[in-house]
Amino acid sequence: MKYKGSCLCGEITFEIEGEFESFYLCHCERCQKDTGSAHAANLFSSKAKLKWLSGKNKVKTFNFDGHIKSFCPNCGSALPNFQFDGKLLVVPAGSLDSDIYLRPQGHIYFANKANWDKELEKVPQFDQLPKDE
Ligand SMILES: [Zn+2]
Ligand SMILES: [Zn+2]
């Protein structure tokens, strides 16, 4: 399986060859800060290969006490990185442009979730910005 990915501004592009072993939605406080959202959505693989197609030398990696995030310094988008001494490839699901056939396997660190992060599937859904009636 081959996956393509890129940052929002398009300066950094990459390709991943191989399979993901897991897919988790992490609600821990660090992931809330990291993403600015309710949870991170990361795919993990111990075997897949990451190939930067463009912008490799621009990728910045931030490590706060073991919480690692790679990103594009131009647009701030999350990018893949290797963790656990390079043994585990971690790919933010939103960085991929290819479809993902794996379903998330779980919400993790659910006890640490934001106080507004509950029953979100019951919140009204709009295909665009809601219009003022
Ligand atoms: Zn970018
Ligand atoms: Zn987390």
Side-chain angles (χ1 to χ4, degrees):
M1 191 72 200
K2 253 189 192 173
Y3 299 88
K4 292 226 183 230
S6 60
C7 67
L8 185 56
C9 77
E11 279 196 17
I12 299 171
T13 56
F14 60 91
E15 194 174 78
I16 288 159
E17 193 169 354
E19 293 304 329
F20 294 110
E21 286 132 33
S22 51
F23 187 3
Y24 287 113
L25 308 176
C26 185
H27 296 252
C28 83
E29 281 152 24
R30 289 173 165 193
C31 287
Q32 289 179 45
K33 291 284 185 196
D34 174 331
T35 62
S37 190
H39 58 77
N42 285 315
L43 293 140
F44 300 88
S45 181
S46 58
K47 295 189 191 87
K49 298 214 166 26
L50 168 66
K51 188 173 151 194
W52 298 104
L53 300 177
S54 65
K56 180 185 177 179
N57 55 2
K58 291 187 179 133
V59 178
K60 287 264 182 284
T61 297
F62 175 78
N63 184 339
F64 173 73
D65 191 22
H67 180 92
I68 298 170
K69 176 183 181 137
S70 291
F71 60 97
C72 169
N74 194 42
C75 69
S77 300
L79 292 166
N81 57 69
F82 285 93
Q83 300 188 18
F84 298 101
D85 296 328
K87 291 188 195 82
L88 190 66
L89 174 64
V90 182
V91 181
S95 71
L96 292 175
D97 298 314
S98 307
D99 286 339
I100 301 165
Y101 297 100
L102 198 64
R103 292 273 301 152
Q105 282 141 310
H107 293 276
I108 60 174
Y109 288 92
F110 208 53
N112 297 94
K113 67 185 181 171
N115 70 336
W116 53 269
D117 181 7
K118 54 185 165 215
E119 301 186 342
L120 296 182
E121 67 286 352
K122 293 185 184 162
V123 173
Q125 299 180 357
F126 304 93
D127 287 337
Q128 281 125 30
L129 274 178
K131 290 187 179 64
D132 295 324
E133 301 290 325

